[in-house]
Amino acid sequence: MNDQRRPDPESFLRVAAQEGRGRLKIFLGAAPGVGKTYEMLTDGRQRRDAGIDVVIGVVETHGRRETEALVQHHELIPRLTVDHKGHRLGEMDVDAILARRPQLALVDELAHSNAPGSRHPKRYQDVEELLDAGIDVYSTLNIQHVESLNDVVASFTRVRVRETVPDSILEQAEIEVVDIPPDELIERLKDGKVYIPQEASRALGHFFSKSNLTALRELALRRAAQAVDAQMLEHVRAHALAGSFAAGERIVVAVSELPHAAGLVRAGKRLADALKAPWTTVHIETQRDRYFADADRHQLADTLALASRLGASTASIPAANVVEGLHRFALDARATQIVIGKSARSWWFERRHGSVVDQLVRTIGDVAIHVLPGGDTPPVKRAPVYRPVRWGQAIEFGWSLLMVAAMTTIGRLLLELIDLGNIALLYLVPVMFAAASFGLRAGLFTGIASSLAYNFFFLPPTSTLTVNNPENIVSILVLLGVAIVTSQFAARVRAQAELAGSSARQNAALASFSRQLTASVTQDELMQAICAEVARLLDVRTVLLLPSPDGPILAAAFPPEDRLDEIERAAAQWAMDNEQPAGRGSSTLTASDWLFHPLGTSRGVLGALGMAREDAGEPLRSDRLPLLMSLLDQASIAFDRMALEEENLIARQIGERDRLRAALLSSVGHDLRTPLTTILSAAQEMKLHPSQALADTVETEARRLNRFVANLLDMVRVEAGALPMKPEATDLFDAVASAVQDSRAALAGHDVTVDIPPDIPLVRVDPVLLHHCLINLLDNAGRYADPDTPVLIAGRRTPDALLLSVIDQGPGIPPGQEKRVFETFTRLEGSDRVRHGTGLGLAIVKGFAEAMGLSVEAGNQVSPQGARFTIHIPGRLIVTMPVDRDDP
């Protein structure tokens, strides 16, 4: 039980990965108003006074005079202005901070969501970029914004915050809790130091009640303690420091295959809840585990499953004996308390084998041990510790005799050269070889054979088995003793090797299973991967069923299974409803040929995995139950992850749909109202004073309305993939001329130049869709080009394509927005290219072009300044016959 330690490789690598990266410090508070920003600025000022280069990346003073006074002492990086829905929003300028490259940046409100169009959607992602650049960051956070506590906070405050920060951010940060008593915070609120008086009165009646603030305060303190404890463990593991470092409680529950182990798990759960401590349930695998009865394996699997359902981490550790394995695991886990059971044993059993509890108490050191009795459970007949009797194969004894004969021959040859006592040492070779290679019985057999050979051929009187000298008896006993000791050592090494091999195989299987699940992209692929891998690893048939109001639905199977009987569906439904196994091999609905295990997560049961064998026997060998439980845990986690990703995708789609709806309403409100107002005014004037000019105005605005409605319909056709395609050989010059003619109103005030070579070939495209593309590009040029500037339409041939460009002389496209201009309802807010319009024209160009097999890109030209939109026509769509025409 030596306590020699080495650094934990994973912890050491994680610590090494932080080298060269900035450090993050979070000022954590229970609620707004506790003084997080003030404390951050105060600490930042102290660091600046100590000679550290400090800047403010972003800070929210909320009009508090004390906070504003502290801001004056720091260099402030100007915010980046972002236009969003007509509002100018200020966000942290990450590029400016990276260019300034301070030693420390102060960044307020870590959970803040950036305005659309920013580099990152969340401010904590901006902070991650600063940290990666080697810049230290101080930031602030309220406890209700921690992702894992979001539901907990909402359960008692009745307020669910939408801006959250992943727990992984806290795990890598130094945390300072900024705390004031709830009564003092309420007084600050009443004095108007947190919110304006109207908002303060409403907050006092809801979020800022004393009970809520007390609960939030406790959450903040506990979450900070957990983060500090995790960082402390990471440090001591990385540096191989001895001791439990019991700043926080960590509980280990040791279980076996005995029935009372479930009681130990429940006791460990109660202890963990009382101490608010993390806990782990561990089973120590020894040689005797290989000889468990099926009932023992089922009992152990049920115990570990119970621990997992109650929230414990579970582990199964191979070791030479229980005390050594539990001692090593407790040291690695830095456990402060161990829960273990005391089985009913006879006096003679404990005299022969010792007591695990007694040995643990003597060797475990400063760890508290809770010993629970086995209760009224009668003593259980234990499985044999050693392997069943095996006399060995004849060839093993043959090799042993051959080695003895060889040593006898060598001894006879050396008899005249060495002493008689040294000849006895020669017989140690076959004894050790047989004991190490073939086991105890072969070793004893070889020891007896060697003793007889030594006595018969070398001890006087030779050629007899009589021993006249009592000293020679010692040689015989030594040979037998060597056989026993060597075989015991060899057996122990083999047992440990088998345990290690079994553990390695199981770990390899779990790693392979995890890789297969991670590679799955869709839920259908994931379910099929689960079935296929479980079937391969456990040699069973598998099915996966999902819950539904009408009963379980067969979602995946391996090999493919087209139907299940009613008894199987009933077993699957019972397993999902009760979160317990059901079917063959369980205690419920055993008439089913399938055994169903629920796939349960913290959000409930997501499905049931069924297993069966071809021979209709037991679906699973009892020794594979631990592997099955691990596979089920991984499958549940992967299933839950996929379900969450799909829910997030749906949420994003809903958000995008809402954004498009808002943009559409905005566009419709502007682009329909304006021409309708003009038409109505012109119609009223025409009633009083009929004129050709008013009629022209009505016609122009009506055409504008018609174009707008056509754009809406075209966009619907693009998104629905319902574009009728009639490709034919098309003359680009004629197509451009027709588009210019139909766009003359949009191009009013601009000279249009067409630069298309006379010998440019025909192209195989849909002329109607190409006409729509050109009209929209010309309309875009007419709206964005500077007044009285020319618009150029140029065509040129390249070795593998034909390029058709529309070029205006206007403000151009902001850098980085070249692809975004083709998005639906995009009008480049915040740039100089903002004009009236729906933001549909370029999206329609892109959709129509891709439907014809073309591509379109946007860019800028330098001299003269302007925007260039180019349609790429690939060589496969070019008609090789050239077209002869006169220059325009």
Side-chain angles (χ1 to χ4, degrees):
M1 294 289 182
N2 59 37
D3 195 24
Q4 294 180 355
R5 300 192 150 272
R6 64 182 181 89
D8 179 67
E10 294 183 1
S11 299
F12 189 79
L13 289 174
R14 284 192 292 267
V15 171
Q18 298 299 318
E19 294 294 330
R21 197 170 186 267
R23 293 183 302 161
L24 173 63
K25 181 176 181 179
I26 295 177
F27 293 83
L28 181 66
V34 298
K36 302 181 301 299
T37 303
Y38 186 89
E39 189 69 21
M40 178 184 71
L41 292 171
T42 301
D43 275 24
R45 181 178 179 181
Q46 294 173 354
R47 294 291 302 277
R48 191 202 64 183
D49 293 343
I52 302 300
D53 183 15
V54 182
V55 301
I56 292 180
V58 63
V59 68
E60 303 292 348
T61 64
H62 300 290
R64 299 165 190 160
R65 291 190 300 274
E66 302 91 340
T67 307
E68 290 176 346
L70 283 175
V71 172
Q72 305 303 321
H73 297 284
H74 293 284
E75 177 185 347
L76 183 64
I77 301 295
R79 297 195 186 191
L80 181 67
T81 302
V82 179
D83 285 347
H84 178 59
K85 297 183 178 179
H87 300 282
R88 298 180 69 82
L89 306 176
E91 297 293 355
M92 183 173 69
D93 193 340
V94 179
D95 289 325
I97 298 175
L98 292 174
R100 171 66 173 73
R101 199 166 185 79
Q103 292 175 278
L104 172 63
L106 308 182
V107 180
D108 205 7
E109 297 187 358
L110 186 62
H112 171 76
S113 294
N114 294 328
S118 301
R119 185 204 300 264
H120 301 118
K122 296 289 186 179
R123 183 168 290 168
Y124 72 81
Q125 295 171 319
D126 295 337
V127 168
E128 286 280 297
E129 186 170 351
L130 297 179
L131 295 173
D132 290 337
I135 300 173
D136 293 345
V137 176
Y138 283 2
S139 191
T140 62
L141 183 70
N142 286 327
I143 192 64
Q144 63 264 33
H145 294 289
V146 178
E147 179 65 41
S148 64
L149 299 177
N150 188 260
D151 292 338
V152 178
V153 173
S155 66
F156 60 82
T157 64
R158 302 294 187 269
V159 176
R160 182 180 293 275
V161 296
R162 300 299 177 187
E163 296 178 324
T164 59
V165 172
D167 288 61
S168 58
I169 300 296
L170 271 73
E171 292 167 0
Q172 62 177 303
E174 175 188 350
I175 295 180
E176 178 176 327
V177 179
V178 182
D179 183 44
I180 62 174
D183 291 335
E184 185 177 337
L185 180 56
I186 291 174
E187 288 300 320
R188 286 173 54 83
L189 193 68
K190 291 179 179 179
D191 294 341
K193 295 181 179 180
V194 181
Y195 296 125
I196 60 176
Q198 295 82 357
E199 293 181 353
S201 299
R202 185 168 59 252
L204 281 170
H206 297 85
F207 187 85
F208 280 80
S209 66
K210 185 173 182 178
S211 59
N212 285 350
L213 293 177
T214 302
L216 289 170
R217 188 185 187 197
E218 180 181 2
L219 279 178
L221 293 172
R222 289 190 180 279
R223 186 61 184 84
Q226 291 175 4
V228 171
D229 186 65
Q231 292 168 5
M232 180 270 296
L233 286 179
E234 188 82 358
H235 177 78
V236 299
R237 286 170 178 163
H239 294 82
L241 302 179
S244 61
F245 290 84
E249 300 292 341
R250 293 177 289 276
I251 299 169
V252 170
V253 180
V255 299
S256 65
E257 80 287 359
L258 297 179
H260 70 261
L264 298 178
V265 171
R266 296 186 181 94
K269 168 65 174 175
R270 293 192 296 270
L271 182 61
D273 288 344
L275 299 176
K276 303 295 183 183
W279 62 299
T280 303
T281 299
V282 61
H283 167 66
I284 306 301
E285 295 182 35
T286 61
Q287 184 182 3
R288 58 182 302 277
D289 285 46
R290 296 187 301 160
Y291 310 113
F292 278 172
D294 288 347
D296 292 334
R297 298 187 188 278
H298 282 290
Q299 181 65 53
L300 178 59
D302 291 343
T303 301
L304 294 176
L306 173 64
S308 181
R309 290 197 301 273
L310 293 179
S313 301
T314 59
S316 188
I317 306 299
N321 57 71
V322 173
V323 176
E324 179 184 335
L326 189 55
H327 186 277
R328 187 174 67 248
F329 182 81
L331 290 178
D332 290 341
R334 307 286 170 169
T336 60
Q337 303 194 40
I338 293 177
V339 178
I340 192 170
K342 175 69 172 177
S343 303
R345 299 295 185 197
S346 65
W347 173 86
W348 176 243
F349 183 92
E350 291 195 358
R351 290 290 295 177
R352 288 186 299 137
H353 303 286
S355 169
V356 171
V357 173
D358 292 343
Q359 295 179 48
L360 195 62
V361 170
R362 288 195 300 267
T363 60
I364 200 62
D366 58 350
V367 179
I369 299 179
H370 300 265
V371 181
L372 277 64
D376 298 330
T377 304
V380 178
K381 184 178 180 180
R382 304 299 297 266
V385 174
Y386 303 106
R387 66 175 67 240
V389 175
R390 187 180 71 87
W391 290 105
Q393 300 178 3
I395 190 173
E396 297 174 355
F397 295 98
W399 276 107
S400 300
L401 288 176
L402 184 60
M403 289 286 291
V404 172
M407 290 303 106
T408 301
T409 302
I410 295 173
R412 296 292 294 180
L413 295 175
L414 299 177
L415 183 59
E416 301 297 332
L417 301 177
I418 62 177
D419 295 335
L420 186 62
N422 292 330
I423 291 178
L425 299 177
L426 295 175
Y427 286 102
L428 292 177
V429 176
V431 172
M432 295 177 66
F433 172 80
S437 303
F438 306 134
L440 176 61
R441 288 167 181 80
L444 290 176
F445 171 80
T446 308
I448 294 173
S450 297
S451 301
L452 294 176
Y454 180 60
N455 185 14
F456 188 83
F457 291 104
F458 298 101
L459 294 182
T462 58
S463 302
T464 68
L465 296 178
T466 303
V467 180
N468 290 334
N469 189 352
E471 295 180 358
N472 294 329
I473 298 178
V474 175
S475 300
I476 298 174
L477 296 178
V478 167
L479 292 173
L480 295 177
V482 168
I484 295 174
V485 172
T486 304
S487 61
Q488 290 295 325
F489 277 126
R492 180 176 297 182
V493 170
R494 279 198 300 272
Q496 292 179 348
E498 290 174 1
L499 286 173
S502 175
S503 179
R505 288 191 296 272
Q506 179 167 322
N507 291 337
L510 292 175
S512 173
F513 187 64
S514 179
R515 285 194 299 271
Q516 292 294 331
L517 299 189
T518 304
S520 302
V521 178
T522 65
Q523 191 177 66
D524 289 339
E525 290 181 6
L526 175 66
M527 292 187 295
Q528 194 60 40
I530 291 173
C531 289
E533 286 300 298
V534 172
R536 180 181 66 84
L537 294 172
L538 301 179
D539 191 24
V540 292
R541 293 182 295 145
T542 56
V543 294
L544 198 152
L545 293 89
L546 301 180
S548 76
D550 299 328
I553 299 175
L554 181 61
F558 189 89
E561 183 78 27
D562 58 355
R563 67 180 184 84
L564 290 174
D565 295 336
E566 289 300 320
I567 185 64
E568 276 77 31
R569 294 185 180 274
Q573 187 66 55
W574 192 94
M576 289 187 284
D577 291 342
N578 297 274
E579 300 186 27
Q580 294 285 342
R584 183 179 293 272
S586 69
S587 59
T588 304
L589 298 174
T590 56
S592 170
D593 290 334
W594 292 77
L595 171 64
F596 292 93
H597 280 269
L599 296 177
T601 67
S602 58
R603 300 191 304 135
V605 176
L606 303 180
L609 181 68
M611 294 169 290
R613 299 187 70 84
E614 294 290 347
D615 56 5
E618 288 291 334
L620 193 66
R621 300 200 319 264
S622 58
D623 60 327
R624 308 308 298 274
L625 284 175
L627 175 59
L628 171 63
M629 302 309 299
S630 298
L631 295 176
L632 290 175
D633 287 342
Q634 286 200 17
S636 299
I637 293 172
F639 212 93
D640 193 29
R641 172 184 58 80
M642 187 68 71
L644 287 173
E645 288 179 356
E646 291 192 355
E647 290 178 4
N648 289 336
L649 177 61
I650 293 174
R652 288 196 298 269
Q653 291 174 343
I654 293 174
E656 180 66 15
R657 189 162 60 243
D658 291 342
R659 185 188 70 81
L660 292 178
R661 184 183 295 112
L664 177 60
L665 291 176
S666 174
S667 297
V668 169
H670 178 273
D671 292 277
L672 284 182
R673 187 182 295 115
T674 301
L676 280 175
T677 301
T678 303
I679 290 173
L680 290 174
S681 298
Q684 291 173 357
E685 288 292 326
M686 288 179 66
K687 289 181 180 179
L688 301 175
H689 307 288
S691 69
Q692 184 61 38
L694 291 175
D696 292 341
T697 300
V698 171
E699 181 182 6
T700 300
E701 296 301 323
R703 288 181 181 277
R704 180 178 170 187
L705 271 179
N706 181 66
R707 183 67 198 148
F708 175 73
V709 173
N711 275 345
L712 287 177
L713 294 176
D714 287 343
M715 197 67 244
V716 171
R717 290 158 63 198
V718 168
E719 294 184 346
L723 292 175
M725 288 288 297
K726 296 181 179 178
E728 59 184 61
T730 303
D731 187 339
L732 284 182
F733 186 86
D734 292 343
V736 169
S738 175
V740 171
Q741 176 65 25
D742 289 347
S743 303
R744 59 186 184 278
L747 296 171
H750 299 279
D751 292 332
V752 179
T753 302
V754 179
D755 181 13
I756 297 179
D759 59 346
I760 201 163
L762 304 177
V763 293
R764 187 167 296 281
V765 296
D766 186 308
V768 176
L769 296 185
L770 180 62
H771 184 73
H772 279 284
C773 291
L774 293 173
I775 286 178
N776 278 289
L777 289 178
L778 292 172
D779 179 73
N780 179 78
R783 280 190 285 114
Y784 288 104
D786 293 336
D788 302 324
T789 57
V791 174
L792 172 65
I793 306 172
R796 65 186 180 91
R797 180 78 182 270
T798 65
D800 58 353
L802 195 154
L803 308 181
L804 185 63
S805 301
V806 176
I807 306 168
D808 65 58
Q809 295 183 18
I813 301 171
Q817 303 292 321
E818 290 83 356
K819 293 183 178 179
R820 188 167 172 260
V821 294
F822 294 105
E823 296 178 1
T824 308
F825 298 116
T826 297
R827 292 186 288 181
L828 298 184
E829 297 177 358
S831 75
D832 294 333
R833 285 187 66 90
V834 178
R835 301 289 191 274
H836 65 275
T838 62
L840 288 175
L842 294 179
I844 291 171
V845 171
K846 182 175 184 292
F848 282 11
E850 291 178 349
M852 293 185 290
L854 317 180
S855 62
V856 60
E857 66 177 21
N860 290 318
Q861 59 178 14
V862 179
S863 180
Q865 179 182 354
R868 173 192 292 267
F869 292 89
T870 303
I871 297 176
H872 291 251
I873 304 174
R876 59 185 174 81
L877 298 179
I878 297 176
V879 180
T880 56
M881 181 182 298
V883 178
D884 293 328
R885 64 169 72 85
D886 296 331
D887 291 336

